[in-house]
Amino acid sequence: MQDKQNKKTRLQVIRMIVSSQHIESQDELLIELDKAGFPCGQATLSRDLKLLRISKVRGRNGHSVYALPREGQFAPVPTQKEINNSKWGIRASHNLLVIHTPPGHAGMVAYDIDSTENPMILGSIAGDDTVLIVLTEDADRDEVIYQMQRLIPQLN
C-alpha cells in the first residue's frame, strides 16, 4: 500500500514540476524530483511520464520542454524571459509613441532613446513601465517606430 501511495504522490509532484518549471530533459526532471524528496530511476520516470501523458513540445523559445496535456493540446509553461518579453510593446497616436516595458525598465529605455539625439524626437518621459515619446510635427512616425525596434530588440 505504501508503494502505491508513494507513486501517487510522486506523480503529483511530477505534474507540479512540469507545470511550474521549464524542464528540457529527463535528467533535469530527475534532479528536481530528487530535490523534492522523490528520487527515482530513469526507467521509472519514463513510465510515469507515459502514464501522465506528458510529452515534449516546442516552447516559444524553440527549445523542447515537457508539458502536461490540456484539452487535446500541450501548453508549455512560459519562462520568465518569455513572460518579460511579452510585456514589451509600442503603440502610436499622431505624434506620440508609447513604449510598454516590464516594471522598472522604462527609465533606462527613455535614457537610451534620449541618448540617440534623434531629430524627429522632442523627448521622452518615463514612468515605471511606460515611456511616452513626443515626436516633432513633421516626424515620420513609421520610421521612428522602426528605429525604436532596432534600438530596443524586445519590441520586435
Side-chain angles (χ1 to χ4, degrees):
M1 185 67 171
Q2 183 67 18
D3 286 341
K4 284 187 178 187
Q5 188 62 30
N6 282 343
K7 180 177 180 177
K8 182 178 179 181
T9 306
R10 185 180 68 243
L11 294 174
Q12 290 173 338
V13 170
I14 291 170
R15 279 190 202 102
M16 181 201 63
I17 292 169
V18 169
S19 68
S20 65
Q21 296 182 40
H22 185 81
I23 303 292
E24 294 184 10
S25 70
Q26 283 192 11
D27 288 338
E28 287 180 43
L29 188 49
L30 285 169
I31 291 168
E32 293 302 318
L33 278 170
D34 191 48
K35 286 181 192 175
F38 293 90
C40 68
Q42 199 263 329
T44 300
L45 178 58
S46 290
R47 285 190 297 272
D48 289 348
L49 292 173
K50 185 175 183 177
L51 179 67
L52 294 169
R53 296 183 13 228
I54 293 175
S55 296
K56 284 190 106 173
V57 298
R58 184 172 306 272
R60 290 181 197 95
N61 63 0
H63 296 273
S64 294
V65 295
Y66 283 103
L68 296 168
R70 295 198 186 141
E71 298 175 9
Q73 298 292 322
F74 291 91
V77 175
T79 64
Q80 190 60 46
K81 183 178 178 181
E82 291 170 333
I83 291 169
N84 283 342
N85 283 344
S86 71
K87 294 182 180 181
W88 291 88
I90 187 167
R91 298 185 67 192
S93 177
H94 302 288
N95 71 326
L96 301 175
L97 297 179
V98 175
I99 295 179
H100 296 280
T101 73
H105 287 71
M108 185 56 74
V109 169
Y111 176 81
D112 288 346
I113 291 167
D114 290 340
S115 295
T116 66
E117 298 181 9
N118 185 324
M120 292 187 281
I121 298 175
L122 293 175
S124 66
I125 301 171
D128 182 52
D129 62 355
T130 307
V131 179
L132 173 66
I133 303 168
V134 181
L135 306 178
T136 60
E137 291 296 322
D138 60 343
D140 180 344
R141 187 175 68 193
D142 291 335
E143 176 62 25
V144 176
I145 290 172
Y146 173 75
Q147 290 172 4
M148 292 302 102
Q149 290 171 329
R150 292 192 67 212
L151 178 68
I152 308 159
Q154 296 91 332
L155 293 175
N156 292 325

